Amino acid sequence: MSHLRTRIAAVVAAGLLAATGIAASGEAVAHESCTTAGASDEGICYLPATVDLNSGGWKNTGLAVELQPGTYHLDLDVHGRLWGRAPINSWILARLVNTTNGTVVPNSERLIDHLQSSNPEDGAIGRRDTTPIQERVEVVTPTRIELQAMRLYQNGPTTVAEITTAPNSRTSLRWERVGN
């Protein structure tokens, strides 16, 4: 139930920001990205700024949480955006990484977005998509978990490949302590 209250509070907060016009510029509203979960058994944080993925390799996004020893349910909404020119075959992947010990959180990798067209007549094409990542993690020492993402392509590089955050589509990370 507390998880549902957290989601409802996030929706209400986003609506209030939109109603007040604070986010009318189209830029991401500044939020604290890295939060220590020891101060609270649950919470939510937001991607501080859009992350450009057009250069290769996994990139740290800055969306992270510092967990104190215990068992947590992590729930992310990851918003990706791909644009390119046909013919194209490109995708965005994301995963959670324990940056304290340098390991990937098992089974956390997800396909965020995929853009494919073999017809050059399609011209410029694009996609936006939001994908969830839900994982349960157990940590025995203070541990930082961060969202990483990368863009891959097999044919035709992208003009835009991003993990985005904006007033109408936030990339977010929620946590809830579910055990000691």
Side-chain angles (χ1 to χ4, degrees):
M1 187 67 169
S2 63
H3 182 66
L4 178 60
R5 283 192 305 264
T6 302
R7 283 182 173 247
I8 291 169
V11 169
V12 169
L16 289 172
L17 284 173
T20 60
I22 292 172
S25 69
E27 293 181 17
V29 176
H31 289 285
E32 183 175 321
S33 173
C34 299
T35 305
T36 301
S40 173
D41 285 342
E42 63 183 71
I44 187 168
C45 49
Y46 299 93
L47 184 67
T50 294
V51 178
D52 182 1
L53 302 174
N54 265 327
S55 60
W58 288 103
K59 286 189 174 183
N60 292 334
T61 64
L63 181 58
V65 63
E66 305 277 342
L67 301 174
Q68 298 306 308
T71 302
Y72 295 85
H73 177 76
L74 303 179
D75 182 7
L76 292 87
D77 286 322
V78 184
H79 187 76
R81 185 168 82 126
L82 278 170
W83 296 90
R85 200 152 193 62
I88 191 168
N89 187 13
S90 186
W91 52 97
I92 294 175
L93 301 174
R95 66 185 184 185
L96 297 174
V97 175
N98 176 334
T99 58
T100 303
N101 68 14
T103 61
V104 175
V105 173
N107 303 311
S108 67
E109 187 171 306
R110 301 289 191 279
L111 174 66
I112 303 303
D113 210 345
H114 181 220
L115 184 62
Q116 182 176 13
S117 172
S118 57
N119 183 0
E121 292 177 11
D122 286 345
I125 57 174
R127 283 186 45 90
R128 297 172 191 253
D129 208 356
T130 301
T131 303
I133 298 176
Q134 296 176 334
E135 294 298 329
R136 183 177 298 254
V137 297
E138 183 176 343
V139 297
V140 295
T141 61
T143 301
R144 184 174 192 268
I145 304 291
E146 182 166 358
L147 176 68
Q148 286 187 336
M150 73 181 298
R151 183 267 339 231
L152 295 171
Y153 69 93
Q154 199 170 40
N155 184 27
T158 54
T159 53
V160 174
E162 301 172 325
I163 298 297
T164 63
T165 196
N168 61 353
S169 57
R170 294 207 184 285
T171 293
S172 61
L173 184 159
R174 286 168 294 287
W175 73 90
E176 181 178 11
R177 185 184 202 124
V178 293
N180 293 328

